[in-house]
Amino acid sequence: MPTDYSTLLQQEIIRSVSAALAEDLGFLSLTEGDITASLIPQSQQATATIITRENCVICGTAFADEVFRQLGNNVKLQWQVTDGDKVAANTTLCTLSGPARILLTGERTALNFLQLL
């Protein structure tokens, strides 16, 4: 029976993101967010942009998507690039919109995956 690599990859993305969020948030629940995010009114909406500061090859968009899915799936990500694209410094990679607390809670984890992959 052939191995379904796409299923294995999706399972690994879910597992990796879950572990990273648990490490970043520690004892806080995913719905509480981090301490800084708790200072923002729960109803506050925001928009954010991810840009690259250096020339790079894009990798990790599925991991960034999964970060915000695990944080409640209330953030809309609009990618202007796809994995494998070569992009120049200062290129907009993604625009995010949704609850400000969730954006603040997930930003570091999502950026870590994009930077390290």
Side-chain angles (χ1 to χ4, degrees), residues 34-93:
D34 65 18
I35 292 171
T36 303
S38 68
L39 300 173
I40 306 297
Q42 195 166 13
S43 62
Q44 182 73 41
Q45 297 291 304
T47 301
T49 304
I50 298 174
I51 64 170
T52 179
R53 294 289 183 205
E54 299 179 6
N55 296 342
C56 66
V57 176
I58 301 302
C59 184
T61 59
F63 288 83
D65 289 340
E66 181 63 20
V67 166
F68 293 103
R69 189 197 66 74
Q70 287 190 25
L71 289 173
N73 211 22
N74 297 324
V75 173
K76 182 178 180 183
L77 291 88
Q78 295 178 324
W79 290 98
Q80 280 77 51
V81 296
T82 59
D83 284 355
D85 288 353
K86 294 179 183 179
V87 298
N90 300 312
T91 298
T92 297
L93 305 179

Side-chain angles (χ1 to χ4, degrees), residues 83-116:
D83 284 355
D85 288 353
K86 294 179 183 179
V87 298
N90 300 312
T91 298
T92 297
L93 305 179
C94 181
T95 302
L96 304 92
S97 58
R101 283 186 177 189
I102 301 299
L103 291 172
L104 288 171
T105 298
E107 71 168 326
R108 179 55 35 211
T109 304
L111 291 174
N112 283 343
F113 280 113
L114 290 169
Q115 292 171 2
L116 298 173

